[in-house]
Amino acid sequence: MLRLLFLSVLAFASSVFAAFGFTKSGSSYVIDAGSSNSLVFTVNGDNCDITSLKYRGTELQDSSGRTQLSSGLGSATVKVESVTASSVNYVKVTCTTSTLTHYMVVKEGGSNIYLATYIKEEPSVGELRFIARLKSSVLPEEYPYGKVSTTSGSSSTVEGSDVFIVDGETRSKFYSSTRFIDKDAQCVYGGSDVIHACVLAPQPESSSGGPFFRDIESNNAGSATNLYWYMNSGHVQTESYRTNVLHGPYILALSRSGVPKLRDFDTSFFSGLGVTGYVAESGRGYVSGTASGVSSSFQIVVHWYNNQAQYWTIASSKGAFTSPAMKPGTYTMVLYQGEYKVATTTGVSVSAGKTTSKNIASTETSRNSLWKIGEYDGQPTGFLNADKFLRMHPSDSRMTAWKPVTYTVGSSSLDQFPMALFQTVNNPVTIKFTLASAPGAATLRIATTLSFTGSRPQAKANSWTATAPSAPTKIDSRGITRGAYRGYGEVYDVSIPSGTLVAGQNTITITSISGSGGTTFLNPNFIFDAVELFT
C-alpha cells in the first residue's frame, strides 16, 4: 500500500515537474515547459500546427482541428532549439515558409506560449490570424463578453454563415470584438479546475486599422471553442496591410488563477532570441506633448502611423501625452475627440533613444449652433439601439423596433433618434424644430461613421431638396449586422440656401440613398455620429 502510494506520488510529481526541453517523436516535437502547472504541447514538424496542448495533464486541443496560423501553413520548415538568453532557458520553435516566419517560444518554468509572426507579404486568404481550436467540452465559456459569441446549439441561421439564433438570441463570433485601444486578455475557460486559455497582445503595432479597430476574439462553435488573435483582416478594412514587419510578440497564456492581465507580461526577452523584425526598446523612441482643443468630457486619443507601424495613447484630461515606445521613422499624427478625427499633422520624426516633442491642437472651429443631435465622438453614442448593436444582430427581438422616426428637437430624447438608417426598414428620419427667427443661409452637418453598399444621406429642408451627394468610398464588408460601426467617417455638409428655413416650425428629412439594393438589414445603410444645424 505504501509502495503504491509512493509510486502514485512519484508519477504525479513527474507529470507536474517534468524536465524542461523538447524531444522528437516521429515527425513531431514534444515541448515541455518544465512548469509546476504543467504545460506540454506537440508541434507538427511538417507544417507547424500544434496538435496537442496539455495543461496540468488535461488535453485542451480539439481533436478535429489544430492550433495554427491562419488556416494552417500547409507545409513549413520547422526548427526547434534550446536557447539561453540572460541566464534564462527557452525552447524556440521557428517555422519558415516563402512568405513568413512564425515563432513559438516557451520560457523554462512558465505556462505560456509566446508567439510572433514576421510576414513578407499578406497571406493569399486575405487575413492574418492565429487560432487555437480547443475542446469545447473543457473550455466552453468565453471572456469578456460571455455567450454573445457562443453559436453552439444554434437553431437557425440569420445571415451568411456567421450569425445564428441560439435560445432565441442572435449570436456571432463577430460579437466578441474589442477595440484595440481597450484590449487586455481575451479568453475561453471552463472545467472543474477552471482553466483559462487567453490571448494577450501587448502592442499590435504591425496590425492595421488604428486604435479603434476591432475583430473576432472567440467563438464556441460547438465542435470546438476557437480562440483568435486577428493581426489583420478584411473585416471593415480601412487601411492597407503592413508587410515586411513582425507581428508580436503575442501570448497564448494558460492559467488556473483567473484572467491574466497584460500589465503582468514582459516580452523584452525577445531581444536575445534572434527573432527577425524584433526591435528592442533601446532601439525605439518616443513622442510627448500636449493635445489641446478637445473637451475633457471626451476620451482624448493621439495616434501615430506610417506604412510600417501604428501606435496610440490616451492623453490626460489636461491633454498631456507620451507615446508608447515607437520604431524609428516618420509618422502621421492624429488627434481624436473620442473616435472623431479633429486634427492631423505629418512629418513627425522618431529616433532611437530620443523623445520628440510635438503638440497637436484640434482644428474644429466654433460656430453658431441652432441645435445638435448627438456628439461628434465617432460613434453612434446614445442613439436608438446603440447600446445593443455591438453584441447582437439588428433583427434581434431585444432590439427596439426599427421604424421611421420623427424626432422633435427640444422634446424627443436622444435614444429616440436612430443610430442607423436602413433603406427599406426605417427610412427616413424626420427632424422637427422651431426657430425664433429666420436664420438666412445655414449648414446642416451630417456626420456618419460607416456606410454599407454606397449608402449616404440626402437632406430635404422644408420644400427644398439638397443635391444627392456622391457615393462614399466602398468598404467591401458587412458592418452593423456584425457589430461594426467604424469606417471612413464621412461628414456631409449641406448648404441650405437663405429663405429656406423660416421663423416658427421647420422640418428636415434625412433619407438613406444608394444605387444598390439588398435584403432587410443588408439593405444599403449608414450609421450616424451626430447631426447639427448651424450658421
Side-chain angles (χ1 to χ4, degrees), residues 55-124:
Y55 179 64
R56 291 178 55 80
T58 299
E59 179 64 69
L60 304 182
Q61 181 64 49
D62 177 60
S63 60
S64 63
R66 299 289 182 260
T67 290
Q68 58 195 189
L69 199 64
S70 295
S71 294
L73 299 179
S75 63
T77 300
V78 180
K79 178 182 179 182
V80 182
E81 59 188 319
S82 296
V83 178
T84 300
S86 300
S87 302
V88 179
N89 298 321
Y90 304 90
V91 172
K92 175 187 173 187
V93 181
T94 305
C95 306
T96 307
T97 73
S98 61
T99 60
L100 63 81
T101 304
H102 182 58
Y103 301 94
M104 294 181 276
V105 177
V106 292
K107 183 189 297 187
E108 183 175 14
S111 297
N112 308 306
I113 304 175
Y114 295 83
L115 307 109
T117 309
Y118 182 88
I119 63 168
K120 297 178 183 178
E121 59 186 61
E122 183 69 14
S124 59

Side-chain angles (χ1 to χ4, degrees), residues 19-268:
F20 171 75
F22 68 93
T23 56
K24 188 81 181 292
S25 176
S27 62
S28 296
Y29 296 89
V30 180
I31 299 163
D32 193 321
S35 50
S36 58
N37 287 311
S38 172
L39 169 62
V40 181
F41 63 101
T42 302
V43 178
N44 185 305
D46 295 324
N47 58 26
C48 198
D49 288 352
I50 294 177
T51 58
S52 174
L53 180 64
K54 292 182 178 179
Y55 179 64
R56 291 178 55 80
T58 299
E59 179 64 69
L60 304 182
Q61 181 64 49
D62 177 60
S63 60
S64 63
R66 299 289 182 260
T67 290
Q68 58 195 189
L69 199 64
S70 295
S71 294
L73 299 179
S75 63
T77 300
V78 180
K79 178 182 179 182
V80 182
E81 59 188 319
S82 296
V83 178
T84 300
S86 300
S87 302
V88 179
N89 298 321
Y90 304 90
V91 172
K92 175 187 173 187
V93 181
T94 305
C95 306
T96 307
T97 73
S98 61
T99 60
L100 63 81
T101 304
H102 182 58
Y103 301 94
M104 294 181 276
V105 177
V106 292
K107 183 189 297 187
E108 183 175 14
S111 297
N112 308 306
I113 304 175
Y114 295 83
L115 307 109
T117 309
Y118 182 88
I119 63 168
K120 297 178 183 178
E121 59 186 61
E122 183 69 14
S124 59
V125 293
E127 63 182 25
L128 182 64
R129 70 177 186 183
F130 170 77
I131 177 172
R133 294 184 174 92
L134 307 174
K135 283 188 173 183
S136 57
S137 59
V138 179
L139 303 172
E141 306 298 333
E142 303 179 55
Y143 174 90
Y145 302 111
K147 293 190 178 298
V148 297
S149 49
T150 295
T151 57
S152 173
S154 63
S155 57
S156 61
T157 301
V158 175
E159 183 180 299
S161 58
D162 49 37
V163 185
F164 304 94
I165 295 288
V166 182
D167 296 333
E169 298 178 355
T170 53
R171 307 269 184 89
S172 174
K173 59 188 178 182
F174 285 93
Y175 302 152
S176 63
S177 67
T178 304
R179 303 188 310 170
F180 271 164
I181 199 169
D182 299 326
K183 270 186 181 291
D184 205 303
Q186 55 199 59
C187 308
V188 297
Y189 67 98
S192 58
D193 204 21
V194 192
I195 295 170
H196 283 78
C198 305
V199 168
L200 302 99
Q203 172 57 58
E205 65 182 6
S206 300
S207 295
S208 301
F212 314 118
F213 184 76
R214 54 202 309 146
D215 215 326
I216 302 164
E217 296 182 3
S218 62
N219 171 222
N220 180 342
S223 57
T225 300
N226 301 315
L227 180 63
Y228 302 86
W229 168 234
Y230 267 88
M231 289 160 267
N232 63 44
S233 77
H235 303 150
V236 198
Q237 180 190 355
T238 58
E239 186 180 26
S240 297
Y241 301 139
R242 293 177 168 88
T243 54
N244 296 306
V245 292
L246 181 73
H247 290 265
Y250 52 101
I251 306 142
L252 175 59
L254 299 169
S255 168
R256 59 185 294 265
S257 55
V259 177
K261 296 294 183 183
L262 195 54
R263 64 174 181 262
D264 296 328
F265 288 86
D266 178 6
T267 59
S268 62

Side-chain angles (χ1 to χ4, degrees), residues 373-534:
I373 304 170
E375 296 288 348
Y376 296 107
D377 63 358
Q379 306 169 70
T381 308
F383 293 149
L384 181 74
N385 290 323
D387 59 333
K388 303 181 184 71
F389 82 100
L390 289 175
R391 311 297 167 205
M392 65 185 75
H393 191 270
S395 65
D396 197 289
S397 61
R398 293 168 292 173
M399 288 274 186
T400 301
W402 300 91
K403 57 186 178 181
V405 168
T406 297
Y407 183 93
T408 302
V409 174
S411 61
S412 295
S413 60
L414 184 61
D415 62 5
Q416 291 178 275
F417 194 87
M419 65 162 287
L421 274 188
F422 299 89
Q423 198 152 297
T424 64
V425 177
N426 65 333
N427 212 16
V429 59
T430 301
I431 304 169
K432 292 188 176 294
F433 57 98
T434 301
L435 297 175
S437 60
T443 298
L444 177 69
R445 176 164 292 175
I446 307 169
T448 68
T449 69
L450 177 64
S451 168
F452 178 66
T453 61
S455 178
R456 64 274 194 192
Q458 184 176 27
K460 180 179 180 181
N462 293 331
S463 60
W464 174 83
T465 300
T467 301
S470 300
T473 301
K474 183 179 180 181
I475 296 176
D476 191 18
S477 175
R478 283 173 284 157
I480 187 173
T481 61
R482 286 176 163 180
Y485 64 90
R486 184 169 179 80
Y488 291 118
E490 290 87 0
V491 176
Y492 300 89
D493 279 352
V494 181
S495 297
I496 300 175
S498 180
T500 302
L501 300 175
V502 299
Q505 183 71 38
N506 293 267
T507 300
I508 286 177
T509 302
I510 301 174
T511 304
S512 167
I513 63 168
S514 173
S516 301
T519 305
T520 318
F521 294 105
L522 290 179
N523 263 282
N525 63 78
F526 66 85
I527 297 175
F528 283 107
D529 179 4
V531 181
E532 183 181 16
L533 182 67
F534 59 88

